[in-house]
Amino acid sequence: MRFKYIILILIALTSLAFASESAIFGKDLIPNILAYDKEGSLHLGKWFTLLQSTYFKPIFLGVLLGVPALFFIHYKIIGPMIFSHDRKKIYVFSVFNRAIHTIAAISFILLIPTGVVMVFGDFFRGGEFVRINKDIHAIATLLFVISVIPMLIMWFKEMLPTSDDIKWLMILGGYLNKRKDPIPAGKFNAGQKMWFYVCTFGGIVMIATGAIMFFQDFKIDFIASLGLSQIDLLRLSAIVHNVLGFAVLALFMTHLYMSVFAIKGAIHSIITGYKEEEEIEILHSSFYKKLNKDKKI
């Protein structure tokens, strides 16, 4: 626990670089209060209250229960894809790929449940349990900060949209039948690309909005120059953070289901770096053809 407080102190000290003047308790207190919902403000008060009190929790609960329910039905009716382990193993992910992915995975394993606890804080009756989850959420964010830029750089080119993505979406990746028909996809399919963009670009936005909500009382001259009051900034950050949270929660559970349950043995590729040849031939047929053409098999 002592380590936790050291980390939080470091975060607080770092924030002083851009938070030298209070925007809530200092000289800007009165202007901020007077600017609430007045001309020039974003008028987010009623929307923030409505979304926070009426819609956010039911949507999170729907995603939390609905997505696993759909996957349970899929697993029972369609079942997992099973590929031969008797053919060649193809080296797909480097040590660096796997290391960064592991850091990101650990961060999400911590961020998502702690974020859910914070959303349903009143259900858990607040108190120390929710505060501990808030602290873990903040520390796990640092892990994600470490991984998000390297992840963006190393995979961005391979995540660019192609015509295969449209074909993949039209057949939902072939996951609705039991046949082993070749699926049009490069090294990453359209589903993985959606998760990548939400995880990286969306993740960067979530880091920024989360930091704003965590520190709350700071002043950035650029934000002030836009005429945006601190309360509007906090409300906007909370709304954006929650909306992106729906997508992150749904796609993370999808990513987890696909790698652990829907494709037998798929999770080993991000541990060892190798994929089964048949898995690539079927699920990433365009990538397989390219590997054959370049004589890399």
Side-chain angles (χ1 to χ4, degrees), residues 146-204:
I146 292 170
S147 63
V148 67
I149 299 302
M151 198 158 47
L152 186 59
I153 293 170
M154 72 186 183
W155 281 329
F156 180 75
K157 184 178 179 181
E158 291 164 326
M159 293 291 183
L160 290 172
T162 68
S163 58
D164 279 342
D165 298 332
I166 298 173
K167 299 172 188 174
W168 189 94
L169 289 169
M170 289 177 68
I171 60 173
L172 293 178
Y175 289 108
L176 296 184
N177 65 66
K178 298 182 180 182
R179 301 188 307 272
K180 288 186 178 180
D181 300 328
I183 307 299
K187 185 175 180 178
F188 298 102
N189 61 43
Q192 291 170 316
K193 290 178 181 181
M194 282 190 286
W195 170 232
F196 171 80
Y197 286 117
V198 168
C199 176
T200 54
F201 291 110
I204 291 170

Side-chain angles (χ1 to χ4, degrees), residues 10-30:
L10 289 174
I11 294 174
L13 290 174
T14 302
S15 72
L16 293 176
F18 60 87
S20 56
E21 293 183 33
S22 171
I24 297 178
F25 300 109
K27 63 180 182 180
D28 296 314
L29 173 63
I30 300 303

Side-chain angles (χ1 to χ4, degrees), residues 47 59 62 110 112 116 126 152 210 213 260 271 273 296:
W47 293 110
I59 293 173
L110 294 172
I112 289 176
V116 169
L152 186 59
M213 290 187 292
V260 177
I271 298 172
K296 292 184 178 179

Side-chain angles (χ1 to χ4, degrees), residues 52-124:
Q52 197 77 9
S53 63
T54 307
Y55 293 105
F56 282 158
K57 288 180 184 178
I59 293 173
F60 270 114
L61 187 62
V63 173
L64 197 61
L65 299 178
V67 173
L70 288 174
F71 290 147
F72 179 78
I73 294 169
H74 176 273
Y75 193 85
K76 287 297 182 181
I77 296 176
I78 306 296
M81 291 186 175
I82 302 173
F83 297 104
S84 171
H85 287 229
D86 298 329
R87 295 169 62 181
K88 295 175 183 177
K89 296 185 185 298
I90 300 172
Y91 191 64
V92 178
F93 298 118
S94 68
V95 173
F96 182 71
N97 291 161
R98 286 175 275 150
I100 295 299
H101 184 274
T102 299
I103 296 171
I106 293 171
S107 71
F108 275 107
I109 289 169
L110 294 172
L111 285 167
I112 289 176
T114 54
V116 169
V117 168
M118 290 161 65
V119 169
F120 296 100
D122 56 345
F123 174 81
F124 295 101

Side-chain angles (χ1 to χ4, degrees), residues 264-280:
K264 287 292 184 183
I267 196 169
H268 295 295
S269 65
I270 206 63
I271 298 172
T272 65
Y274 289 90
K275 278 183 177 287
E276 302 297 334
E277 182 179 0
E278 188 184 28
E279 181 184 337
I280 295 178

Side-chain angles (χ1 to χ4, degrees), residues 127-139:
E128 187 64 19
F129 176 68
V130 176
R131 282 195 292 272
I132 290 171
N133 275 269
K134 179 183 176 182
D135 291 342
I136 294 172
H137 198 80
I139 294 169

